[in-house]
Amino acid sequence: MAVAQRTALPAQRGAGWNKLAEKIVAHAFLIVISVIFMVPFFWMVSGSLKTGVDLNAFPVVWFPKTLTLENYIAGLQVFPFARYLFNTLVICAFSMLGAALSSSFVAYGLSRIEWRWRTPLFVVILSTMMIPFYVTMVPLFTMFRAIGWTDTYLPLIVPHFFGVPFYIFLLRQFFLSIPREMSESARMDGANELVIYWRIILPLAKPALAAVALFQFLTSWNDLLGPLIYLSDADSYTLSLGLTFFRSEYSSQFGPLMAASTVVVIPVIVVFFFAQRTFIQGITLTGVKG
Amino acid sequence: MTATSAPSTRAGTRSSTRRSARTPQQRRNFFWGLVFTSPAIIGLLWFTAYPVLVSLYYSFTSATMMKPAEWLGLGNYESLGSDSAFWNSLGNTLYYIVVSVPLGIAVALFLAILLNLNVRGQSIYRVIFYLPAIVPLVASAVVWLYVFNPQYGVLNTVLGWFGITGPGWLASPEWAMPALIIFSTWGAGNLMIILLAGLQDVPQDLHDQAKVDGAGVFRRFRHVSLPFLSPHLLFALVTGLIAGFQFFTPVFVLTNGTGGPAGKTLVSGLYLYQNAFQFFKVGYASAIAWVLFIIVGLGTALVFRLVGRRVYYGGA
């Protein structure tokens, strides 16, 4: 940081120079940092396409001369990508549905209806975000085991059907910005709250709901601790969990490891590129404005 | 905040009469309010209140995964006092937090400032900086294993260009934790977006005015942008502290769940996991959870005490 300021300072002499120097320095930094940020991804893809000789070559081979798919073939023989992908998608889909439905439902009650408990309840819900996961982790596990839910996806899905505080916060903000008149006129026509929620508010909240769904997709896709605790049958593993065990068994074989990682990373990058705008809006929307 | 219902009339109704005496409108609202928030109320009781109370109870017992609980009083907490692995894990966690939180904020802030300069190709840079934060942690951790490889890794190759012989990173007791911190900093994108949102709220005319008055880049940042960013920075500090205590996935993947080498990366989250799910000492693990919870609570209170009053909540 200090470097950037020092190099930018002399440019104050003229307004034109100032602008130009600022731009040049900024671009130089942006490009260098971009390269640093992208190197691991490049390394992952190139590593996955390298032959054994190139992988262990010294000095390092940046651009492999011969490209090979053998790592993918070897990796996918022990790493049942299709099955893990399916498992992960099932968990993601139900969690997204549950989180978006229940959180918007609760947020409606905390923003569009005026009743005595709405502010205290909102404060309580928000403050539960402060409780670290590790405090509830062990009792949740013993409870889910007692009701026979371990080795199923239920512990990873069902809690999302009871409202997620962060999403409730986000959707409540959004609902508060919808003018009162929108629901008032429907109420005059005799619509009850359920109808107003479903027919008026939800359609208007599509961008916020999309942001919630995306957040939940990434959270479920990336989750390791949950599947690690609850899933012990190898057939029910998620991608993250499968990759972890793959890593501990094949820790010295970088080729197949990189191939498996590439296969896990690529779908997320594709989703992100298509949903980038919604996603970044979702984050800035939640803001932390004082 | 959002207390829109008139307080005077409400207070009057509440003190003198009961719910039944309210207007039909109020009764209907109360009914629908409860209906809509019922999932959260049930969830709160089922997935938060109940496990929190059970965890507190477990922490005073000898419960294991197989054996029912037997009351120990403060026994678990006393054992923690003389458990060197616990103190080691706490020390490692503090080391991680003290270095990674300020470093992460500094890097995120630097990136946010760069992205706020209105240069060409901004959206491409934004995606590039943000990408590491959204990629599955497990997968990127696996990739960084290869980056950190002392012989065939990118990092030591690049250091070699500058005549530096890189350390053994994850294989070396002194450099394993710095390696984890480097990996975490690479994923500072989430924080960057939040700080960028804050920077974009800074009124441009304030900036222009300061420029006319001859304030340089540094002084403009210090006196114009920084006050507007202070709530975001406080948020970053507090969430960084809380997340730091829960640091788990990268250590689990990069050290193969061991917290090695020589226990130098055994952080509290991992030690807690080991106790609960490898040694099956549920009671002991719960005591660790509560000690951590109390430390996090005190730490957060301290941050608010020290930093909170310097925070400027702009126009709003």
Side-chain angles (χ1 to χ4, degrees):
Chain A
M1 230 168 81
V3 181
Q5 284 140 13
R6 214 171 296 140
T7 36
L9 271 174
Q12 284 167 35
R13 282 175 209 128
W17 280 111
N18 189 351
K19 274 256 148 68
L20 188 66
E22 202 179 88
K23 288 235 150 107
I24 292 172
V25 172
H27 266 294
F29 270 103
L30 285 167
I31 291 167
V32 170
I33 297 168
S34 297
V35 171
I36 296 172
F37 270 65
M38 292 312 281
V39 161
F41 291 117
F42 170 77
W43 204 236
M44 172 183 81
V45 176
S46 89
S48 73
L49 295 168
K50 280 179 195 166
T51 57
V53 183
D54 278 351
L55 273 166
N56 294 324
F58 190 84
V60 163
V61 176
W62 288 91
F63 298 95
K65 285 200 189 73
T66 39
L67 297 176
T68 171
L69 285 176
E70 66 186 32
N71 292 319
Y72 286 87
I73 297 159
L76 291 183
Q77 268 165 4
V78 262
F79 187 80
F81 175 74
R83 156 161 274 159
Y84 291 174
L85 176 68
F86 176 77
N87 296 345
T88 310
L89 286 177
V90 167
I91 295 172
C92 283
F94 282 105
S95 307
M96 284 160 76
L97 182 76
L101 264 184
S102 66
S103 303
S104 64
F105 198 71
V106 174
Y108 185 93
L110 294 174
S111 59
R112 309 291 302 180
I113 300 172
E114 275 171 34
W115 58 303
R116 183 208 276 192
W117 286 4
R118 75 170 192 179
T119 304
L121 193 61
F122 179 60
V123 172
V124 171
I125 290 173
L126 269 196
S127 52
T128 61
M129 282 169 69
M130 292 291 287
I131 299 171
F133 177 61
Y134 49 69
V135 172
T136 54
M137 176 171 80
V138 176
L140 279 176
F141 175 82
T142 48
M143 179 185 79
F144 284 133
R145 194 182 52 169
I147 56 177
W149 282 14
T150 43
D151 255 319
T152 72
Y153 297 145
L154 292 173
L156 304 172
I157 291 171
V158 172
H160 296 102
F161 279 85
F162 292 87
V164 180
F166 177 58
Y167 306 148
I168 293 174
F169 171 75
L170 195 153
L171 290 164
R172 178 182 166 275
Q173 299 283 92
F174 195 90
F175 290 173
L176 283 172
S177 70
I178 300 174
R180 267 163 158 257
E181 295 79 50
M182 305 287 298
S183 20
E184 232 27 84
S185 56
R187 243 171 237 141
M188 295 297 215
D189 295 342
N192 72 25
E193 301 294 332
L194 282 173
V195 175
I196 297 169
Y197 158 77
W198 190 255
R199 304 278 286 274
I200 297 174
I201 302 298
L202 272 198
L204 285 171
K206 270 184 196 147
L209 288 171
V212 165
L214 263 167
F215 273 124
Q216 189 53 48
F217 170 79
L218 288 173
T219 310
S220 292
W221 184 278
N222 289 341
D223 187 22
L224 173 69
L225 194 53
L228 182 66
I229 294 173
Y230 293 115
L231 306 176
S232 53
D233 176 10
D235 281 345
S236 65
Y237 282 180
T238 59
L239 283 170
S240 284
L241 190 59
L243 192 58
T244 313
F245 283 103
F246 187 61
R247 174 249 179 288
S248 48
E249 274 169 53
Y250 295 85
S251 50
S252 53
Q253 291 185 291
F254 279 117
L257 262 177
M258 291 306 108
S261 301
T262 308
V263 163
V264 175
V265 166
I266 297 298
V268 177
I269 295 184
V270 171
V271 168
F272 180 66
F273 266 99
F274 282 110
Q276 198 215 123
R277 202 163 281 266
T278 321
F279 194 76
I280 292 186
Q281 262 172 10
I283 297 175
T284 45
L285 192 91
T286 63
V288 269
K289 289 172 190 162
Chain B
M1 260 172 60
T2 44
T4 40
S5 38
S8 54
T9 54
R10 235 182 51 183
T13 0
R14 197 195 297 166
S15 58
S16 56
T17 50
R18 291 186 50 80
R19 196 174 299 150
S20 53
R22 293 174 161 198
T23 66
Q25 171 73 38
Q26 274 175 326
R27 245 180 301 159
R28 222 180 46 206
N29 280 353
F30 186 83
F31 167 76
W32 282 112
L34 267 187
V35 168
F36 275 94
T37 52
S38 57
I41 295 172
I42 296 168
L44 220 61
L45 296 173
W46 188 8
F47 299 120
T48 306
Y50 167 77
V52 165
L53 291 175
V54 170
S55 157
L56 187 61
Y57 166 70
Y58 277 163
S59 78
F60 296 113
T61 71
S62 66
T64 68
M65 285 286 174
M66 303 81 179
K67 247 181 18 214
E70 211 173 283
W71 189 258
L72 285 184
L74 287 172
N76 284 327
Y77 292 94
E78 279 162 16
S79 312
L80 275 178
S82 55
D83 179 351
S84 62
F86 170 70
W87 288 105
N88 173 42
S89 77
L90 207 56
N92 289 336
T93 304
L94 290 180
Y95 173 17
Y96 173 79
I97 290 173
V98 166
V99 181
S100 84
V101 173
L103 184 68
I105 292 176
V107 169
L109 184 60
F110 181 52
L111 296 180
I113 290 170
L114 278 178
L115 288 181
N116 199 37
L117 286 178
N118 212 5
V119 293
R120 224 173 234 230
Q122 211 192 31
S123 59
I124 299 169
Y125 291 126
R126 195 166 65 178
V127 171
I128 291 176
F129 296 165
Y130 193 51
L131 217 48
I134 59 140
V135 154
L137 258 182
V138 173
S140 52
V142 166
V143 172
W144 277 76
L145 273 176
Y146 196 26
V147 172
F148 284 130
N149 186 297
Q151 279 143 26
Y152 317 115
V154 174
L155 197 52
N156 282 358
T157 302
V158 173
L159 287 175
W161 295 346
F162 300 95
I164 302 166
T165 314
W169 298 112
L170 292 163
S172 138
E174 304 93 80
W175 288 95
M177 188 57 96
L180 289 173
I181 291 168
I182 292 172
F183 173 69
S184 300
T185 311
W186 181 66
N190 261 329
L191 199 50
M192 175 195 79
I193 298 280
I194 288 168
L195 294 176
L196 184 59
L199 280 174
Q200 285 176 347
D201 279 349
V202 178
Q204 188 57 42
D205 48 321
L206 271 183
H207 248 285
D208 295 340
Q209 212 175 346
K211 220 179 222 172
V212 171
D213 293 344
V217 175
F218 179 71
R219 294 189 51 186
R220 285 207 304 273
F221 176 76
R222 170 75 187 79
H223 295 288
V224 182
S225 305
L226 201 58
F228 281 91
L229 267 188
S230 53
H232 300 74
L233 290 171
L234 177 68
F235 173 83
L237 204 59
V238 171
T239 52
L241 185 75
I242 295 170
F245 270 99
Q246 312 213 41
F247 188 58
F248 178 81
T249 303
V251 222
F252 188 83
V253 177
L254 286 171
T255 74
N256 225 343
T258 60
K264 292 288 184 188
T265 59
L266 183 70
V267 290
S268 297
L270 186 57
Y271 189 56
L272 176 59
Y273 170 83
Q274 286 181 344
N275 269 289
F277 298 101
Q278 285 173 1
F279 315 147
F280 305 117
K281 290 156 73 175
V282 170
Y284 199 60
S286 301
I288 297 174
W290 276 88
V291 171
L292 293 179
F293 190 15
I294 290 164
I295 295 175
V296 172
L298 291 177
T300 312
L302 193 71
V303 168
F304 274 109
R305 199 81 197 259
L306 292 178
V307 188
R309 66 181 62 161
R310 293 160 163 244
V311 168
Y312 164 81
Y313 292 99

